[in-house]
Amino acid sequence: MKSTRRHCRRTFLLIVLLAAPSLFAQSTNHSPDHQIRQVLAAQVAAWNRVDIPGFMNGYANSFRTTFVGTVIEHGYASILARYLRKYPTHEAMGRLDFSGLEVRMLGASHAVVTGYFHLARSQSAGGNASGVFSLVFEKESRGWKIIVDHTS
């Protein structure tokens, strides 16, 4: 009986010790996963306060940044102009929510994020909109930035 308890305690301790590094890596505020999720949370917050330039802070300010939707837009300025044109009012912007986010690292400086978006809007403002997206993030000196956005 005593040896069984001792064995159970050792097994439990071994499981905890083996799991601890991965649990710590996922929970740290400095992990790429956490930092990327912070960028996305900041985008949602900016959108919901009707701040498209703030939303665009999540994108790399580069002529090479690409948005793929019904058309392909190249360049930060072009993507910003698209958002301003497509969402000219608070009503048109609605309320944004992301869900089902999955972050997959592609090395130390790149990651792919997939997820779902939902835009809650009145019928007169175009109605609700939902879809999926995939984002390619790149680590820059100023943090993680979106370099490719494919939303449909």
Side-chain angles (χ1 to χ4, degrees), residues 78-92:
S78 179
I79 296 167
L80 172 60
R82 175 199 173 277
Y83 276 117
L84 291 170
R85 184 175 58 252
K86 189 165 178 171
Y87 303 99
T89 65
H90 180 270
E91 292 74 28

Side-chain angles (χ1 to χ4, degrees), residues 58-74:
Y59 289 86
N61 191 348
S62 167
F63 68 92
R64 297 183 67 197
T65 299
T66 304
F67 180 90
V68 180
T70 55
V71 298
I72 300 173
E73 299 277 350
H74 294 284

Side-chain angles (χ1 to χ4, degrees), residues 5-132:
R5 277 192 224 148
R6 194 175 316 148
H7 178 71
C8 287
R9 276 188 238 146
R10 284 182 185 163
T11 303
F12 176 75
L13 182 60
L14 181 62
I15 290 170
V16 168
L17 289 174
L18 290 173
S22 65
L23 292 173
F24 179 76
Q26 290 177 359
S27 66
T28 179
N29 291 346
H30 302 292
S31 73
D33 182 281
H34 180 79
Q35 293 171 359
I36 290 167
R37 288 174 188 273
Q38 282 185 312
V39 170
L40 295 169
Q43 283 192 298
V44 168
W47 187 274
N48 290 335
R49 69 174 180 267
V50 193
D51 179 7
I52 290 176
F55 176 82
M56 287 294 296
N57 285 336
Y59 289 86
N61 191 348
S62 167
F63 68 92
R64 297 183 67 197
T65 299
T66 304
F67 180 90
V68 180
T70 55
V71 298
I72 300 173
E73 299 277 350
H74 294 284
Y76 180 92
S78 179
I79 296 167
L80 172 60
R82 175 199 173 277
Y83 276 117
L84 291 170
R85 184 175 58 252
K86 189 165 178 171
Y87 303 99
T89 65
H90 180 270
E91 292 74 28
M93 289 179 72
R95 180 148 187 85
L96 178 63
D97 181 45
F98 292 153
S99 62
L101 296 175
E102 291 185 28
V103 178
R104 181 168 41 160
M105 297 305 299
L106 300 176
S109 61
H110 290 87
V112 172
V113 177
T114 56
Y116 300 91
F117 75 89
H118 179 75
L119 201 53
R121 301 185 291 194
S122 68
Q123 213 42 37
S124 62
N128 292 341
S130 296
V132 297

